[in-house]
């Protein structure tokens, strides 16, 4: 069976040039960069090279890059570290209702510690109202945290405009740039960002490495205690191979950005147009203007069917995509992003995300477009919600039943 991977917003394969650059740092150049002897010295330079590569992608100084274990750690550090450092100034944080859990749950944890958090709403296209953002700022506001691009819809937020607002009110600005970095230009200087977070495994580097841009002079409390790595900002022995890989992935993404953008967007647009034109009662989730979404992301809802069931059918023919409902937890909670966009609960359950990468091909798009209409039709025939002639095969209106019946 042919295998088609379209879940690159969940994780990506390691790029060959990344793996190749990493290999010497396992068995040959294995030293601890904090050691003064030759083995340590051999790898110190590699880390600084990677720091420069990350800095170039984000347009900041090398000294403003901190390596960490993942994107989630970066979001936790940026938000908790700011809350702790600035709690004497204020206790108010502004974020959005559609952030990644690494931001949302960190903010929720801070609420239990006495911080007040404003979760900005989004409209039906998943976009923010900047007037609402500006109106939410008070003299107690210490942080604005808005993601650069959304992982579920691909929506790109107006980070430069938010940066202007943050500057005007002198409020610190953090952005989760995990999905944006490497896919679209992420210029932290131009956008007046104070902190930005990226993750290796979303851009062709391995899992378990990430980086954060911390603008020079930004006061932040230590998050990880221990050794004095990363100029005392982040304790823990460096993940040297991972850091080397992240550096090369950033360099590669920057070099190929225009080419990859055009290639992936063309495939995504073909998939999008094909699905919307060949299947009735399909809804696009995200901004209708494709320029305002990441080039690789397509999120659609197929009315009457459950996303998880569709994924199981997909899986049987080798297609890996993802769905908006967290069925795996058994809660069948539809995605918080769909919820915030006011997507009808049935449609939210049927939301399906295709996130492409430069390894995908036109043949794969054709294959999906060829198979999808029949799969959707079959699932609709099975759905108790679908208007059809003849007897209803399922009596239970819980979509969990649909899922179980065809698992
Ligand atoms: C994947 C992701 C993260 C978390 O990154 P990890 O490295 O997996 O911890 C954070 N934010 C967004 C938008 C993501 O897509």
């Amino acid at each position: 069976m042919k295998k088609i991977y379209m879940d690159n917003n969940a994780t990506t394969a390691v790029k060959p040039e990344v793996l190749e650059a990493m290999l010497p740092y396992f068995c040959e150049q294995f030293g601890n960069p904090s050691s003064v002897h030759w083995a340590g010295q051999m790898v110190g330079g590699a880390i600084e090279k990677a720091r420069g590569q990350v800095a170039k992608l984000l347009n900041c100084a090398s000294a403003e890059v901190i390596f960490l274990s993942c994107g989630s750690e970066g979001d936790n550090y940026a938000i908790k570290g700011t809350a702790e450092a600035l709690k004497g100034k204020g206790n108010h944080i502004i974020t959005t209702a559609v952030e990644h859990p690494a931001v949302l749950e960190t903010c929720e944890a801070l609420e239990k510690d006495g911080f007040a958090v404003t979760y900005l709403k989004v409209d039906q296209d998943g976009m923010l109202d900047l007037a609402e953002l500006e109106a939410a700022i008070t003299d107690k506001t210490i942080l604005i945290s808005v993601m650069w691009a959304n992982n579920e819809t691909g929506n790109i937020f107006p980070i430069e405009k938010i940066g202007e607002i943050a500057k005007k009110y002198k409020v610190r600005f953090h952005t989760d740039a995990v999905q944006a970095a490497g896919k679209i230009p992420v210029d932290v200087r131009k956008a007046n960002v104070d902190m930005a977070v990226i993750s290796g495994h979303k851009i062709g580097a391995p899992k378990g490495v990430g980086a954060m841009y911390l603008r020079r002079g930004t006061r932040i409390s230590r998050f990880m205690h221990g050794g004095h790595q990363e100029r005392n900002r982040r304790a823990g022995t460096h993940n040297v191979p991972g850091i080397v890989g992240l550096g090369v992935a950033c360099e590669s993404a920057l070099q190929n950005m225009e080419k990859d953008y055009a290639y992936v967007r063309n495939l995504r647009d073909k998939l999008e147009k094909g699905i919307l034109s060949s299947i009735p009662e399909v809804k696009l989730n995200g901004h209708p203007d494709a320029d305002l979404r990441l080039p690789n992301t397509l999120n659609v809802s197929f009315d009457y069917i459950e996303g998880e069931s569709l994924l199981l059918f997909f899986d049987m023919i080798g297609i890996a995509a993802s769905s908006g409902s967290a069925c795996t937890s058994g809660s069948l909670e539809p995605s918080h992003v769909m919820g915030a966009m006011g997507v009808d609960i049935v449609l939210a359950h049927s939301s399906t995300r295709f996130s492409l990468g430069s390894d995908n091909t036109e043949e794969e798009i054709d294959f999906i477009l060829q198979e999808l209409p029949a799969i959707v039709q079959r699932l609709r025939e099975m759905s108790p919600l679908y208007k059809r002639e003849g007897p209803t095969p399922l009596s239970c209106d819980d979509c969990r039943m649909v899922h179980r019946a065809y698992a």
Side-chain angles (χ1 to χ4, degrees):
M1 186 175 65
K2 195 171 156 35
K3 285 201 159 47
I4 300 179
Y5 186 75
M6 288 204 185
D7 203 9
N8 286 278
N9 287 9
T11 199
T12 61
V14 171
K15 289 181 183 167
E17 65 271 28
V18 170
L19 178 64
E20 198 190 330
M22 288 172 66
L23 286 175
Y25 295 94
F26 287 97
C27 302
E28 296 145 35
Q29 306 189 44
F30 57 84
N32 184 329
S34 302
S35 305
V36 294
H37 51 63
W38 58 268
Q41 294 314 300
M42 267 170 105
V43 297
I47 289 178
E48 292 321 306
K49 182 177 174 196
R51 206 184 296 285
Q53 289 164 319
V54 174
K56 201 155 176 219
L57 181 69
L58 303 179
N59 191 30
C60 63
S62 289
E64 294 172 313
V65 172
I66 297 167
F67 288 113
L68 350 115
S69 71
C70 61
S72 299
E73 185 189 334
D75 288 334
N76 271 265
Y77 178 28
I79 298 168
K80 289 183 194 165
T82 296
E84 179 64 27
L86 303 186
K87 66 184 177 197
K89 261 179 86 179
N91 72 337
H92 180 230
I93 295 169
I94 298 172
T95 187
T96 80
V98 297
E99 297 297 311
H100 188 273
V103 168
L104 280 183
E105 297 200 10
T106 301
C107 287
E108 283 160 18
L110 286 173
E111 281 185 287
K112 295 202 180 83
D113 289 341
F115 287 85
V117 182
T118 300
Y119 299 93
L120 297 170
K121 291 195 278 297
V122 292
D123 63 17
Q124 57 178 15
D125 296 332
M127 285 312 210
L128 291 169
D129 177 352
L130 294 190
E132 202 180 309
L133 168 70
E134 194 163 350
I137 298 172
T138 71
D139 55 3
K140 292 269 176 265
T141 308
I142 51 170
L143 179 67
I144 296 170
S145 177
V146 177
M147 69 203 319
W148 204 300
N150 185 269
N151 44 306
E152 290 191 28
T153 59
N155 275 5
I156 299 166
F157 288 117
I159 294 302
E160 279 180 38
K161 292 205 182 102
I162 297 170
E164 279 168 26
I165 295 172
K167 191 174 185 174
K168 181 170 152 194
Y169 292 91
K170 298 191 173 63
V171 178
R172 186 179 295 185
F173 181 25
H174 159 249
T175 183
D176 173 337
V178 170
Q179 289 295 343
K183 296 184 185 124
I184 56 171
V186 165
D187 184 330
V188 294
R189 287 243 189 287
K190 202 165 153 206
N192 190 48
V193 167
D194 297 298
M195 303 181 287
V197 170
I198 67 169
S199 169
H201 75 104
K202 304 288 175 83
I203 60 167
K207 293 154 191 68
V209 65
M212 178 170 143
Y213 153 73
L214 181 68
R215 188 207 288 263
R216 185 176 285 127
T218 302
R219 210 148 55 80
I220 188 164
S221 290
R222 246 187 130 179
F223 174 62
M224 192 90 131
H225 298 270
H228 303 291
Q229 289 88 353
E230 296 297 284
R231 283 169 291 114
N232 241 342
R233 298 243 186 247
R234 203 276 184 182
T237 302
H238 292 93
N239 170 4
V240 181
I243 289 169
V244 167
L246 178 59
V248 173
C250 287
E251 185 178 78
S252 179
L254 187 60
Q255 262 166 17
N256 299 310
M257 195 174 290
E258 269 177 51
K259 179 168 66 77
D260 284 350
Y261 183 100
Y263 177 77
V264 166
R265 172 146 179 194
N266 180 44
L267 293 184
R268 192 277 313 270
D269 288 352
K270 183 173 178 179
L271 184 64
E272 180 170 323
K273 285 198 189 82
I275 289 176
L276 295 178
S277 66
S278 68
I279 300 174
E281 295 180 271
V282 177
K283 183 185 172 291
L284 174 80
N285 297 312
H287 202 283
D289 181 350
D291 286 341
L292 299 182
R293 273 182 286 136
L294 293 173
N296 77 322
T297 309
L298 172 63
N299 191 315
V300 279
S301 284
F302 303 93
D303 211 351
Y304 314 112
I305 68 179
E306 198 210 330
E308 292 285 309
S309 318
L310 185 64
L311 291 190
L312 291 170
F313 271 62
F314 267 178
D315 190 47
M316 283 189 250
I317 55 170
I319 302 169
S322 99
S323 99
S325 54
C327 192
T328 40
S329 65
S331 67
L332 273 168
E333 275 290 308
S335 127
H336 68 284
V337 176
M338 297 302 130
M341 287 162 63
V343 175
D344 169 87
I345 186 139
V346 176
L347 276 175
H349 273 306
S350 79
S351 100
T352 304
R353 179 185 71 187
F354 299 89
S355 48
L356 285 63
S358 52
D359 290 339
N360 289 123
T361 64
E362 188 140 11
E363 291 74 59
E364 293 176 338
I365 302 295
D366 291 337
F367 179 73
I368 294 176
L369 289 176
Q370 173 199 309
E371 299 292 323
L372 190 57
I375 294 175
V376 168
Q377 188 55 33
R378 221 178 127 199
L379 283 166
R380 281 179 176 169
E381 296 295 341
M382 294 165 172
S383 165
L385 304 167
Y386 190 49
K387 41 185 193 290
R388 79 173 76 65
E389 278 144 40
T392 304
L394 288 172
S395 56
C396 180
D397 63 0
D398 187 344
C399 39
R400 204 182 320 229
M401 291 300 289
V402 179
H403 180 208
R404 274 210 208 107
Y406 305 104

Short mmCIF file of all heavy atoms in Angstrom, two decimals, residues 9 70-73 75 100 102 147 149 151 176 178-179 199 201-202, ligand 1:
data_model
loop_
_atom_site.label_atom_id
_atom_site.label_comp_id
_atom_site.label_asym_id
_atom_site.label_seq_id
_atom_site.Cartn_x
_atom_site.Cartn_y
_atom_site.Cartn_z
N ASN A 9 1.80 19.27 10.20
CA ASN A 9 1.68 20.21 11.33
C ASN A 9 1.78 19.47 12.66
O ASN A 9 1.97 20.09 13.70
CB ASN A 9 0.36 20.99 11.25
CG ASN A 9 0.38 22.03 10.14
OD1 ASN A 9 1.30 22.06 9.32
ND2 ASN A 9 -0.64 22.89 10.10
N CYS A 70 11.90 21.81 23.45
CA CYS A 70 10.77 21.71 22.51
C CYS A 70 10.00 23.02 22.49
O CYS A 70 10.27 23.93 23.29
CB CYS A 70 9.82 20.57 22.92
SG CYS A 70 9.08 20.76 24.55
N GLY A 71 9.02 23.09 21.62
CA GLY A 71 8.20 24.28 21.53
C GLY A 71 7.40 24.51 22.81
O GLY A 71 7.27 25.65 23.27
N SER A 72 6.89 23.45 23.38
CA SER A 72 6.09 23.59 24.60
C SER A 72 6.92 24.20 25.72
O SER A 72 6.44 25.05 26.47
CB SER A 72 5.57 22.23 25.06
OG SER A 72 4.73 21.67 24.07
N GLU A 73 8.17 23.79 25.82
CA GLU A 73 9.02 24.36 26.86
C GLU A 73 9.19 25.86 26.63
O GLU A 73 9.13 26.66 27.56
CB GLU A 73 10.40 23.68 26.90
CG GLU A 73 11.23 24.21 28.07
CD GLU A 73 12.70 23.78 28.08
OE1 GLU A 73 13.03 22.71 27.52
OE2 GLU A 73 13.50 24.53 28.65
N ASP A 75 7.18 27.99 25.13
CA ASP A 75 5.95 28.71 25.48
C ASP A 75 5.81 28.82 27.00
O ASP A 75 5.46 29.88 27.54
CB ASP A 75 4.73 28.02 24.87
CG ASP A 75 4.65 28.21 23.35
OD1 ASP A 75 5.19 29.21 22.84
OD2 ASP A 75 4.04 27.37 22.68
N HIS A 100 -2.16 27.13 20.94
CA HIS A 100 -1.79 25.74 21.22
C HIS A 100 -1.93 25.51 22.74
O HIS A 100 -1.73 26.43 23.53
CB HIS A 100 -0.33 25.54 20.78
CG HIS A 100 0.13 24.12 20.84
ND1 HIS A 100 0.66 23.56 21.99
CD2 HIS A 100 0.15 23.15 19.90
CE1 HIS A 100 0.98 22.30 21.74
NE2 HIS A 100 0.69 22.02 20.48
N ALA A 102 0.06 24.44 24.77
CA ALA A 102 1.28 24.85 25.50
C ALA A 102 1.15 26.29 26.01
O ALA A 102 1.75 26.65 27.03
CB ALA A 102 2.51 24.72 24.60
N MET A 147 -0.14 33.60 18.81
CA MET A 147 0.61 32.73 17.90
C MET A 147 0.77 33.38 16.53
O MET A 147 -0.09 34.14 16.07
CB MET A 147 -0.06 31.36 17.78
CG MET A 147 -1.38 31.35 17.07
SD MET A 147 -2.47 29.94 17.49
CE MET A 147 -1.40 28.54 17.58
N ALA A 149 1.03 31.69 13.59
CA ALA A 149 0.08 31.00 12.71
C ALA A 149 -0.54 29.84 13.47
O ALA A 149 0.12 29.22 14.31
CB ALA A 149 0.79 30.49 11.45
N ASN A 151 -2.04 26.20 14.18
CA ASN A 151 -1.71 24.85 13.74
C ASN A 151 -2.90 24.10 13.13
O ASN A 151 -2.71 23.22 12.31
CB ASN A 151 -1.13 24.03 14.91
CG ASN A 151 -1.90 24.21 16.20
OD1 ASN A 151 -2.12 25.34 16.67
ND2 ASN A 151 -2.33 23.12 16.78
N ASP A 176 4.08 32.39 19.64
CA ASP A 176 4.37 30.99 19.36
C ASP A 176 4.48 30.90 17.83
O ASP A 176 3.48 30.94 17.12
CB ASP A 176 3.20 30.14 19.90
CG ASP A 176 3.31 28.67 19.52
OD1 ASP A 176 3.99 28.36 18.52
OD2 ASP A 176 2.70 27.83 20.20
N VAL A 178 5.85 28.42 16.17
CA VAL A 178 6.19 27.03 15.84
C VAL A 178 5.72 26.65 14.43
O VAL A 178 6.45 26.02 13.67
CB VAL A 178 5.62 26.06 16.90
CG1 VAL A 178 5.76 24.61 16.45
CG2 VAL A 178 6.33 26.26 18.24
N GLN A 179 4.50 27.05 14.07
CA GLN A 179 3.99 26.66 12.75
C GLN A 179 4.43 27.62 11.64
O GLN A 179 4.49 27.23 10.48
CB GLN A 179 2.46 26.57 12.76
CG GLN A 179 1.92 25.39 13.55
CD GLN A 179 2.29 24.03 12.97
OE1 GLN A 179 2.69 23.91 11.81
NE2 GLN A 179 2.17 23.00 13.78
N SER A 199 10.06 25.13 17.07
CA SER A 199 10.27 23.73 17.45
C SER A 199 10.91 22.96 16.30
O SER A 199 10.48 23.09 15.15
CB SER A 199 8.93 23.09 17.82
OG SER A 199 9.08 21.69 17.95
N HIS A 201 10.94 19.68 15.42
CA HIS A 201 10.26 18.60 14.67
C HIS A 201 9.14 19.08 13.78
O HIS A 201 8.54 18.28 13.06
CB HIS A 201 9.78 17.51 15.63
CG HIS A 201 8.57 17.83 16.45
ND1 HIS A 201 7.35 17.31 16.15
CD2 HIS A 201 8.40 18.60 17.53
CE1 HIS A 201 6.46 17.73 17.06
NE2 HIS A 201 7.08 18.52 17.90
N LYS A 202 8.85 20.38 13.79
CA LYS A 202 7.84 20.90 12.86
C LYS A 202 8.50 21.42 11.57
O LYS A 202 7.80 21.79 10.64
CB LYS A 202 7.03 22.02 13.52
CG LYS A 202 6.35 21.65 14.84
CD LYS A 202 5.18 20.72 14.66
CE LYS A 202 4.57 20.24 15.97
NZ LYS A 202 3.63 21.13 16.59
C1 LIG B 1 3.61 21.55 17.85
C2 LIG B 1 3.31 22.88 18.40
C3 LIG B 1 3.79 23.29 19.65
C4 LIG B 1 4.55 22.36 20.57
O1 LIG B 1 5.82 22.05 20.09
P1 LIG B 1 6.57 20.76 20.70
O2 LIG B 1 7.95 20.88 20.22
O3 LIG B 1 5.86 19.58 20.15
O4 LIG B 1 6.46 20.86 22.18
C5 LIG B 1 3.50 24.56 20.08
N1 LIG B 1 2.77 25.39 19.33
C6 LIG B 1 2.30 25.06 18.12
C7 LIG B 1 1.53 26.05 17.33
C8 LIG B 1 2.55 23.79 17.62
O5 LIG B 1 2.05 23.44 16.42
#
